[in-house]
Amino acid sequence: MSITIPAPADFHVHLRQGDISELIVPHVRKGGFDLVYVMPNLKPPITSTERALQYKTELEKIDPNVDYLMTLYLSPEITPEEIRKASAAGIVGVKSYPRGVTTNSDGGIESYETYYPVFAAMEEVGMVLNLHGEVPSDPSSNIHVLNAEVQFIPHLFKIHQAFPRLRIVLEHATTRAAVEAVKKCGPTVGCTITAHHLALIVDDWAGQSWNFCKPVAKYPDDRQALQNVIKEGHPRFFLGSDSAPHPPEAKSTSTPTHACAAGVYTSPILLPFVAHLLESFDALDKLEGFVSANGRAFYQRPYSSQKVGRDFVTIKKIAPRKVDELYTLGEQKLVPFWAGKEVSWEIEENA
């Protein structure tokens, strides 16, 4: 049995910078993808058109056969004028990180109203606002990693109400509440779902650093809601892997003063892994919509716009095979999510 998917697209990926990118970037195509939406949370974050274009050039030098959709990091440096400049240069979106909620988010925002002039400019030129849908933890208000996403939902509604024509993506939903919130919004609001959140619940990361990511996986009922909306074939929900590589020592080690890194690395196994998961909850017939058609429609990137990479990717059913446990390049090392566990699909290289 085999399935052919037209031009799969991953609408949320971290490709990092420096030497580690040499290992990461080729894994985009290894995992079956030729279009990726690139996150801007580098050190320092990407806050200018020039830096975004420079970063794109750096990525293209590593692998020119991928279409890199570039983004800016919402910060005080971003102005309406910069938005218009970025849009004219082909930059697709702006990513909002609340301060301190995830990797490299120390420069994140605290007040959305401050950026309403920026959002108005984005609405005008057609750029996408990507929202990391959590609020910072606050013990005095009983806000923590398990309810931070639910607490964020009023912000989504408020921004959508103020800018109804602004395309907004609620990133990496993990809760039933987030799924229901996006459904209540108009057609300009979409939502990404990661592969790993279709597999994990809270028990899987409690005490297991290799499964620890932010937003954290929630309850079985929440995972069921994510699976159900894919099985439903809802057109505004699509794949954004949030593949977030960290060196093994950062993932496996914590100290009394420093936590382990948050993020899991799915890029090198992504398309076969998604097929494996969708098959597990009887949604394999929704694979094309989830990994290609829905996201491309929302981002206005039809198959016909594909300028680089493969027009189609074929995966085939195989006897269960273990995922590689380590990828290396020189001194760089990465351990993928699901390492040592089995998947039952693989990419047909010569299709």
Side-chain angles (χ1 to χ4, degrees), residues 83-326:
I83 289 298
R84 296 184 184 96
K85 180 179 178 181
S87 177
I91 294 167
V92 178
V94 176
K95 179 65 181 287
S96 166
Y97 291 93
R99 191 181 304 278
V101 298
T102 190
T103 302
N104 297 346
S105 65
D106 292 342
I109 70 168
E110 294 177 347
S111 171
Y112 294 96
E113 288 81 359
T114 302
Y115 292 97
Y116 274 18
V118 172
F119 297 163
M122 292 174 64
E123 187 177 50
E124 172 191 327
V125 300
M127 288 182 74
V128 176
L129 174 62
N130 302 92
L131 297 174
H132 182 116
E134 294 185 291
V135 297
S137 292
D138 180 2
S140 67
S141 301
N142 194 38
I143 297 174
H144 45 79
V145 294
L146 288 174
N147 67 9
E149 183 174 276
V150 174
Q151 295 288 337
F152 178 85
I153 289 172
H155 295 290
L156 170 66
F157 288 152
K158 188 174 181 179
I159 296 171
H160 178 46
Q161 182 177 21
F163 302 96
R165 293 184 295 107
L166 174 64
R167 281 181 292 152
I168 299 171
V169 176
L170 182 65
E171 299 287 358
H172 40 53
T174 64
T175 60
R176 179 174 295 276
V179 169
E180 293 174 351
V182 171
K183 284 185 171 184
K184 289 178 182 176
C185 292
T188 55
V189 177
C191 181
T192 57
I193 296 175
T194 76
H196 54 278
H197 286 126
L198 295 172
L200 299 175
I201 59 172
V202 61
D203 288 6
D204 296 310
W205 59 261
Q208 173 49 279
S209 63
W210 293 99
N211 292 338
F212 180 63
C213 57
K214 286 188 175 179
V216 298
K218 305 301 192 302
Y219 304 120
D221 178 68
D222 293 305
R223 181 178 64 181
Q224 187 66 56
L226 302 180
Q227 295 176 353
N228 287 349
V229 79
I230 293 173
K231 194 170 181 178
E232 173 188 334
H234 196 293
R236 289 188 283 119
F237 292 79
F238 45 88
L239 176 67
S241 71
D242 195 16
S243 179
H246 294 278
E249 60 273 17
K251 283 296 297 174
S252 63
T253 304
S254 64
T255 70
T257 57
H258 194 275
C260 69
V264 300
Y265 187 45
T266 53
S267 280
I269 63 167
L270 189 54
L271 187 58
F273 183 50
V274 172
H276 179 86
L277 293 173
L278 265 59
E279 184 180 33
S280 73
F281 57 89
D282 298 320
L284 199 55
D285 61 320
K286 302 303 190 297
L287 180 64
E288 179 179 332
F290 182 60
V291 304
S292 189
N294 296 352
R296 283 181 170 276
F298 189 88
Y299 276 93
Q300 302 172 359
R301 296 279 164 167
Y303 304 134
S304 59
S305 70
Q306 189 87 357
K307 296 179 181 178
V308 296
R310 298 160 288 194
D311 292 328
F312 297 92
V313 177
T314 298
I315 57 173
K316 61 182 180 181
K317 181 80 172 181
I318 60 171
R321 180 178 301 173
K322 286 187 177 181
V323 171
D324 293 335
E325 297 199 12
L326 184 68

